[in-house]
Amino acid sequence: MTSRSRNASNRVRNGAFVGSLTLDILLGDVRSLKQKRSVVRPIVAEIQRRFSVSVAETGDQDLYRRSEIGIAVVASTAAHCTEVLDTCERLVAGRPEIELLSARRRLFGPEEE
């Protein structure tokens, strides 16, 4: 490994932070999986479009009124990861058609390999 590639590798390792957010939500008046999709898909699409993060429905796919949404972001600072995840959480919490039951967050830094 040349010194140039080693330095580039160290820069990435020293500056890459990964943040994850798992949101457990309760859906309003939903009586079928089709109705559930019509509520969850626009939320997932809006988060992805507005914040350029990775987002997907990650749990409770077989339940009508519950959903788990997972969000991940990669940034050069822990503060930026936290800021993006906070904004995503506020967006979901502010939706009138759902209730945010819980939010779990993790931050992975360069020391965690």
Side-chain angles (χ1 to χ4, degrees), residues 3-112:
S3 66
R4 181 177 181 174
S5 62
R6 194 174 318 118
N7 289 340
S9 172
N10 286 338
R11 268 197 311 269
V12 171
R13 188 175 319 128
N14 291 335
F17 291 86
V18 178
S20 72
L21 177 64
T22 304
L23 303 172
D24 185 18
I25 61 175
L26 178 66
L27 305 173
D29 187 27
V30 173
R31 301 182 197 281
S32 70
L33 292 176
K34 186 175 180 178
Q35 283 181 319
K36 177 184 179 175
R37 279 194 310 273
S38 72
V39 173
V40 174
R41 278 187 180 171
I43 294 169
V44 168
E46 182 178 7
I47 293 169
Q48 188 173 27
R49 185 183 85 256
R50 287 183 64 180
F51 305 111
S52 297
V53 296
S54 295
V55 58
E57 183 179 10
T58 56
D60 297 328
Q61 283 101 344
D62 56 341
L63 301 176
Y64 293 173
R65 297 198 59 222
R66 294 286 294 271
S67 183
E68 180 183 273
I69 296 176
I71 302 167
V73 61
V74 177
S76 59
T77 66
H80 185 72
C81 276
T82 301
E83 178 184 332
V84 171
L85 294 177
D86 285 344
T87 308
C88 291
E89 184 178 342
R90 279 194 303 274
L91 175 84
V92 173
R95 303 282 298 225
E97 71 274 20
I98 65 166
E99 180 182 344
L100 181 59
L101 299 175
S102 70
R104 293 176 308 281
R105 178 182 307 232
R106 294 214 41 204
L107 184 64
F108 303 93
E111 66 281 352
E112 300 177 50

